[in-house]
Amino acid sequence: MREGGIAMEIGNTSEIDAAIRNAQPLSLLARQRPEFADVERIWETELAPELGVRETLRKQTIARAKSRTVLGVLVAVPVIIAMMVLLGGPGFFFPLSFFIGAILVAGISGFDWLKVYSMKSQTKDLILKTACRPFGFRYETLHPDLSGIEDFQSLKTRSKELMEAVNGPQTGKARKISTLFGDVQVTTHDASGNPAPTPAYQILKDAALLPGHSQRKFEDLIEGERAGTKFALVEAKLDTGGKNSQTVFQGILIHIEYPQRFSGRTLMARSGWWKRGKGAGDLDKVQLISRELDEAFTVYSSDQVEARALLSPDRMERLIALERHFSGGKLRGLFDQGHMTLALEADNQFEAGSVFRPLVDPRRFSTALSELGLVCDLIDGFLTREWVQGRL
């Protein structure tokens, strides 16, 4: 769950709805790439029937949450009025009265809204896993499992499990986690939150391509193989923490294993955000082939020739297309050893539509497929033609 609680998480639907409205029909997608050839059948025979079953439950769950909220307000209003009368009218205790009223509303309706959030997470999990299947990818929401939490007693029973699911084990000790790329050594003392599920976070952090923060959250992990090379993508949210916590990064982290090791080390970022000395070390500034791209991006590398080859106009256009599709900005990344690692600031992605709209809508599926296709285009564009040939 993100900062601001469940209500913000399930209520901020304008951008999600816009993405769904602009989605392409499945019949059109089916002709665009081989992986989409069977998507109409998958929707009609598998996904739509399952969403139809969940639609009835969605209506019942939201209706109950709304009615319980109204009940909470009806209980809270007399309590607020009574407190103000007993305390001599509005004054110093006026904000306290409203705070107690909000607690009453949350206590009466909170667990019902928790079920709405859980349904949203389960629906997204179903749609994204189905969308990943034609590509052979794996998807995981990374959300805590809220099923079975019906009251304060069940919440208390699972409180430790849920706290670790949200914030991670606060041991401060080094530990290993298994990822698609092998075991990764991580610690939990440098930022509160679960260990990163991909190497991208630590690589970008070590290169000073992520802003300073003390709290981190991850969701929507997508990983797999494309043209014989491994990749992983995850959404990240980084906060400063403390009383006046601010979000300093929210976006996508992408890690791709390259077919061969790079001879040099190359860092790139949108101009105006990243300057020399911020992780560049002894690297030299690179002048890109395209003047327009050279003005738009700042690039430093230990191998000028390799950097220009990697960041050719056609490949940079793939990066810009990804940035444009996700309405993102401040694109940055590095090419080092045998990997390409990118960060792109963007609002919530891979959301599969609002829980307050009918579930049986093929545009939910279409949006997820299009987003995954764009990631594939990025990977394909950066791999060498010789490597890709015969592997797709």
Side-chain angles (χ1 to χ4, degrees):
M1 292 178 286
R2 290 178 173 78
E3 184 180 8
I6 293 174
M8 178 177 290
E9 176 76 14
I10 61 180
N12 183 18
T13 62
S14 58
E15 293 186 2
I16 297 172
D17 288 344
I20 297 297
R21 284 196 301 270
N22 296 328
Q24 297 185 60
L26 289 175
S27 57
L28 184 60
L29 275 184
R31 298 193 295 269
Q32 290 184 1
R33 56 193 317 144
E35 295 92 345
F36 293 163
D38 205 29
V39 294
E40 289 181 284
R41 184 200 62 79
I42 293 174
W43 168 257
E44 292 170 1
T45 63
E46 300 179 30
L47 193 52
E50 177 60 29
L51 290 174
V53 173
R54 299 188 185 199
E55 175 64 12
T56 301
L57 181 60
R58 180 193 73 86
K59 292 179 179 178
Q60 294 172 348
T61 304
I62 292 177
R64 176 175 170 79
K66 288 180 177 179
S67 65
R68 295 285 291 179
T69 301
V70 172
L71 176 62
V73 171
L74 293 176
V75 171
V77 168
V79 172
I80 293 173
I81 294 174
M83 287 186 65
M84 287 192 293
V85 170
L86 291 173
L87 296 172
F92 177 76
F93 292 101
F94 183 70
L96 177 62
S97 302
F98 273 89
F99 176 74
I100 292 175
I103 294 295
L104 286 173
V105 174
I108 293 173
S109 64
F111 289 104
D112 292 287
W113 285 112
L114 205 62
K115 292 178 182 177
V116 176
Y117 173 82
S118 181
M119 173 169 287
K120 174 186 184 298
S121 179
Q122 292 168 5
T123 301
K124 180 168 77 167
D125 183 72
L126 171 65
I127 293 173
L128 266 296
K129 280 183 176 175
T130 305
C132 281
R133 203 171 68 206
F135 297 96
F137 300 159
R138 186 179 75 87
Y139 171 78
E140 189 176 350
T141 65
L142 302 183
H143 291 171
D145 180 13
L146 301 177
S147 60
I149 299 179
E150 304 284 341
D151 48 34
F152 286 103
Q153 183 59 43
S154 56
L155 178 63
K156 180 181 178 181
T157 302
R158 295 183 56 194
S159 59
K160 182 179 179 181
E161 169 199 338
L162 292 174
M163 285 298 293
E164 289 201 350
V166 173
N167 296 319
Q170 302 300 299
T171 62
K173 298 179 180 178
R175 59 191 289 251
K176 286 184 178 181
I177 62 169
S178 297
T179 74
L180 182 69
F181 306 95
D183 291 340
V184 178
Q185 193 83 5
V186 298
T187 60
T188 57
H189 68 275
D190 61 335
S192 176
N194 267 322
T198 81
Y201 168 78
Q202 196 64 47
I203 290 171
L204 292 163
K205 184 169 177 281
D206 290 344
L209 291 175
L210 292 177
H213 59 280
S214 61
Q215 294 181 341
R216 64 191 178 211
K217 295 179 182 179
F218 302 98
E219 69 172 18
D220 296 333
L221 171 66
I222 300 171
E223 60 182 8
E225 291 192 9
R226 180 72 181 172
T229 189
K230 298 176 183 178
F231 85 96
L233 176 152
V234 70
E235 281 195 71
K237 183 172 181 285
L238 310 178
D239 298 327
T240 56
K243 183 179 180 181
N244 299 314
S245 180
Q246 293 183 332
T247 298
V248 292
F249 177 90
Q250 180 169 333
I252 302 170
L253 309 181
I254 305 174
H255 185 78
I256 304 169
E257 278 192 354
Y258 225 70
Q260 62 272 338
R261 292 175 64 88
F262 302 117
S263 60
R265 174 181 170 86
T266 299
L267 280 73
M268 55 77 66
R270 275 287 185 179
S271 296
W273 176 82
W274 178 81
K275 296 178 175 61
R276 179 176 173 80
K278 202 173 183 181
D282 296 328
L283 307 182
D284 297 320
K285 189 163 189 323
V286 177
Q287 185 173 355
L288 297 177
I289 299 172
S290 165
R291 180 178 178 181
E292 182 181 354
L293 291 174
D294 192 56
E295 293 175 351
F297 289 89
T298 300
V299 181
Y300 282 88
S301 179
S302 62
D303 189 322
Q304 298 276 315
V305 175
E306 182 180 65
R308 291 191 189 94
L310 284 171
L311 301 176
S312 61
D314 60 325
R315 285 172 168 170
M316 294 298 286
E317 283 299 326
R318 305 244 181 181
L319 291 176
I320 294 172
L322 187 76
E323 190 179 50
R324 186 184 304 114
H325 178 85
F326 290 121
S327 301
K330 298 182 180 178
L331 176 68
R332 63 264 204 183
L334 73 159
F335 301 80
D336 190 26
Q337 299 182 31
H339 60 78
M340 176 177 75
T341 308
L342 303 171
L344 172 65
E345 294 192 15
D347 292 330
N348 288 353
Q349 305 299 329
F350 305 105
E351 288 302 305
S354 169
V355 73
F356 295 103
R357 300 285 187 269
L359 298 182
V360 187
D361 186 339
R363 293 175 298 180
R364 292 178 181 267
F365 188 37
S366 175
T367 300
L369 289 167
S370 296
E371 291 175 339
L372 290 170
L374 197 66
V375 173
C376 289
D377 289 342
L378 173 70
I379 297 172
D380 297 346
F382 270 86
L383 296 179
T384 61
R385 290 186 178 87
E386 294 76 11
W387 177 264
V388 170
Q389 189 174 8
R391 290 180 169 85
L392 293 179

